């Protein structure tokens, strides 16, 4: 690689445990709790290298806050995938876009093989009162918040674990104390299944939607009454996954003629309410969704097509002129009493909320999850005047007025900005944003604390190494300090 941000994809991050990081500026006294962030700890296994940003072996990074101080620890997630890769010095399990080298006669792998990867590298959530590292593959890995050691596994469905995938974005309903997620079960006729997980870990299949050529879906929408499965036209023939001639995501093809159907399920009865179609688009992330009269409204971080996935191949990112496609916040409106599938001009419409690039979007979910009164979304972004390379700024978007503000510092690469609200807040953006930033000039990373109101820097806590570019984290208030 030859880019200034190459450190975000190179090497192997050491495991550290530091009781006290130096602090420049200040950390608010009220900020008490722990941020855990997931992502790759290395893209190397012996002499072999993974191919894509969504591959790599999971490492957890933990920043704990108390009394204006911050501690740090990081650790590879102790999984079968990690151990065998280290022991054998080669890639041993199939990941998103990388397969292990193997003979033609042992190709049947991963989704349809007994050796499902447990490399739960994508996100962090508390599900059924347990802290979990989450993967799209069916094995979710529980960890101890204090030690970051692996403590168990969780699956939505029982055996066979092969032939099922899920999302790393379960949605928690605080009124029910239940968590919901989408599981895709591949078969001759595949099914998108809605699961409900109770506080005791009990799992219920609430409802399902059949599909002969299922879509790659990284998240789903949820309102107080409904779950919405957005079936992007990035589709796979299940037989292709059975033959497994190429890595997982490369079995999917972009079929824009299919448009993008939205399936709406009543998440209490499991009933399929209906299907509404939109023009083709792709997204990783549903941001928020709610009901407004007879409409369902969904804010989605959308792309024109699936090119963003190809743009994350490491050899593409290594090019000095690489530029990522921009994700844009769009607001889709489903008229529950309006025209459905097959009606003339029945395609549902959207408005673009901002022309700023947004990805890994966050908001005040504690107060505004499933509530359309929310106003601010915070996201990783790309500076319009410095658009080459990787995500290099944080954006704050007013989704009511379309205004946007950015935090940008040349040579610094901030990850997902996690919003933590100040206790007792009355203003929507009264709180802080926590983001792990690579300072490419120094060759090290730091935890950045921004005032969510002004996007001004309040403080930063440097760590003594570079942290590879990761995906999602979660803040757990008052815990594990
Ligand atoms: Co995600």
């Amino acid at each position: 690689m030859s880019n200034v941000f190459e450190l975000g994809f190179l090497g192997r991050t050491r495991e550290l445990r530091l009781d006290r990081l130096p602090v420049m500026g200040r950390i608010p006294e009220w900020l008490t709790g722990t941020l855990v962030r997931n992502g790759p700890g290395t893209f190397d296994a012996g002499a072999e290298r993974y191919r894509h940003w969504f591959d790599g072996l999971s490492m957890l990074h933990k920043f704990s806050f108390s009394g204006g101080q911050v501690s740090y620890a990081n650790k590879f997630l102790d999984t079968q995938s990690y151990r065998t890769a280290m022991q054998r010095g080669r890639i041993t399990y199939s990941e998103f876009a990388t397969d292990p080298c193997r003979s033609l006669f042992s190709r049947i792998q991963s989704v349809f093989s007994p050796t499902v990867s447990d490399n739960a590298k994508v996100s962090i959530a508390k599900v059924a009162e347990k802290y979990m590292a989450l993967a799209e593959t069916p094995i979710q890995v529980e960890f101890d918040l204090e030690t970051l050691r692996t403590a168990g596994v969780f699956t939505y469905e029982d055996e066979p674990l092969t032939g099922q995938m899920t999302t790393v974005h379960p949605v928690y309903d605080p009124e029910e104390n239940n968590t919901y997620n989408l599981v895709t079960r591949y078969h001759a006729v595949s099914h998108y299944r809605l699961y409900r997980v109770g506080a005791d870990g009990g799992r219920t299949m609430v409802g399902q939607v059949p599909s002969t050529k299922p879509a790659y879906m990284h998240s789903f929408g949820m309102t107080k009454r409904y779950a919405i499965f957005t079936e992007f036209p990035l589709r796979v023939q299940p037989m292709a996954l059975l033959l497994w001639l190429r890595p997982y995501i490369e079995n999917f093809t972009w079929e824009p003629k299919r448009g993008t159907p939205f399936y709406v399920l009543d998440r209490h009865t499991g009933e399929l309410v209906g299907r509404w179609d939109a023009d083709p688009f792709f997204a990783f992330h549903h941001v928020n969704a709610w009901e407004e009269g007879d409409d369902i409204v969904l804010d989605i971080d959308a792309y024109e097509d699936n090119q963003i996935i190809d743009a994350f191949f490491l050899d593409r990112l290594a090019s000095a002129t690489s530029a990522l496609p921009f994700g844009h916040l769009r607001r889709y409106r489903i008229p529950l009493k309006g025209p459905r599938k097959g009606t003339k001009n029945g395609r549902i419409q959207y408005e673009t909320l901002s022309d700023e690039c947004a990805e890994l979007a966050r908001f005040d979910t504690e107060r505004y999850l499933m509530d359309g009164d929310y106003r601010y979304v915070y996201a990783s972004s790309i500076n319009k005047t410095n658009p080459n390379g990787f995500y290099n700024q944080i954006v704050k978007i007013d989704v009511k007025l379309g205004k946007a503000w950015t935090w940008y510092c040349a040579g610094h690469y901030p990850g997902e900005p996690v919003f933590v609200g100040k206790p007792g807040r009355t203003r929507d953006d009264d709180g802080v944003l926590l983001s792990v930033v690579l300072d490419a000039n120094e060759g090290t990373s730091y935890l950045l604390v921004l005032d969510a109101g002004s996007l001004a820097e309040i403080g930063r806590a440097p760590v003594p190494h570079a942290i590879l570019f990761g995906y999602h984290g979660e803040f757990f208030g008052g815990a594990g300090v």
Side-chain angles (χ1 to χ4, degrees), residues 17-92:
R17 207 170 176 92
L18 301 170
D19 291 339
R20 196 160 165 175
L21 291 181
V23 172
M24 295 148 77
R26 63 184 180 83
I27 306 288
E29 293 277 334
W30 58 262
L31 186 63
T32 303
T34 297
L35 172 75
V36 185
R37 206 213 64 185
N38 207 342
T42 184
F43 289 99
D44 301 315
E48 295 183 353
R49 185 159 169 78
Y50 291 91
R51 301 169 66 219
H52 193 277
W53 185 34
F54 295 172
D55 301 329
L57 294 161
S58 168
M59 173 172 266
L60 305 181
H61 297 267
K62 177 177 93 151
F63 295 87
S64 291
F65 306 88
S66 178
Q69 301 294 331
V70 53
S71 67
Y72 169 72
N74 67 316
K75 195 173 184 346
F76 277 100
L77 192 64
D78 187 10
T79 61
Q80 198 66 21
S81 305
Y82 173 69
R83 281 191 200 180
T84 56
M86 292 302 114
Q87 283 162 6
R88 296 175 198 171
R90 61 181 173 82
I91 294 164
T92 49

Side-chain angles (χ1 to χ4, degrees), residues 407-427:
W407 180 89
Y408 172 79
C409 183
H412 292 225
Y413 296 87
E416 179 191 49
V418 176
F419 176 83
V420 183
K422 189 174 177 181
R425 65 193 171 281
T426 52
R427 220 181 62 233

Side-chain angles (χ1 to χ4, degrees), residues 298-309:
L298 301 112
D299 285 355
I300 299 178
D301 203 340
Y303 297 85
E304 293 293 322
D305 55 36
N306 66 324
Q307 285 181 26
I308 184 69
I309 293 176

